Amino acid sequence: MLDRVLNLDRKAPIFGRQDGAPAGWAASAAPVPYPEAVAAMEARAAAIAEGRAGELVWLLEHPPLYTAGVSAKPGDLLDPGRFPVFDSGRGGQYTYHGPGQRVAYVMLDLTARRRDVRAFVAALEAWVIGALGRFNVTGEVREGRVGVWVERRTAGAPAREDKIAAIGVKLRRWVSFHGISLNVEPDLGHFSGIVPCGVTEHGVTSLVDLGLPVTLDEADAALRASFETVFGPTVADTAPL
């Protein structure tokens, strides 16, 4: 599906800017509270749409919390008192954010790239899959299930699929915000307070859960290299918070 949507035989970045300008790349050193992060994202997205700021990919961690996307079902919040719960304007259902999970908020100008929402989501999936590939992890997408999945096989047991990365975005004036979250080494037990993304028949995993002692810095390097393959060049920038 990805190659059909994105035309992956191209040698240029598959979702690059028409002018080739780099996107800013920044990381916050300390966990960022969710409301402050959303406010900073929305302000930056507005500035991008008005031509007052450049594009930005912002890497961060959040304190433990749950967020509800626009399609969230109340019954999928299984333990509402466990962590703070925030309504989110992004697509999707409930998800968890917390330490050990790399969140990447993606503020890109699709007018300067390609006004194609389906291709944009496929490009985000390709970005995550490319990053996982640098650790020899095969990430896959599934029809009807947003995000990136890993098939796991154990001798004598049926194969299972676990989610390793979530994707949820919003567009305003053709500028994106929200983005992706990659499980590097979060406490996977924290996902038990929700039905992650509304999917009951599959689980969640992380790079460390797969037996790979990957640090956040190593994950960041893989994400940046893969992003440049999919979306084009980056340049160091300052994190909003």
Side-chain angles (χ1 to χ4, degrees), residues 213-231:
V214 176
T215 66
L216 281 177
D217 285 345
E218 291 168 334
D220 290 352
L223 284 167
R224 188 168 188 175
S226 181
F227 181 91
E228 292 183 340
T229 298
V230 176
F231 291 98

Side-chain angles (χ1 to χ4, degrees), residues 80-148:
R82 187 170 189 181
F83 298 124
V85 181
F86 298 94
D87 289 330
S88 171
R90 61 163 173 80
Q93 302 186 46
Y94 279 104
T95 194
Y96 164 78
H97 294 312
Q101 181 190 72
R102 179 50 88 206
V103 174
Y105 288 135
V106 183
M107 290 151 273
L108 299 182
D109 183 359
L110 269 63
T111 297
R113 294 175 178 271
R114 190 165 152 197
R115 285 191 175 192
D116 186 329
V117 177
R118 182 168 176 250
F120 176 54
V121 173
L124 294 173
E125 293 170 340
W127 169 30
V128 174
I129 289 169
L132 292 172
R134 294 175 181 272
F135 301 110
N136 295 316
V137 173
T138 301
E140 300 177 319
V141 295
R142 292 290 183 265
E143 195 72 33
R145 279 193 263 141
V146 177
V148 178

Side-chain angles (χ1 to χ4, degrees), residues 7-18:
N7 189 14
L8 294 181
D9 59 345
R10 294 171 51 187
K11 294 182 180 179
I14 58 183
F15 211 86
R17 284 181 62 103
Q18 297 163 17

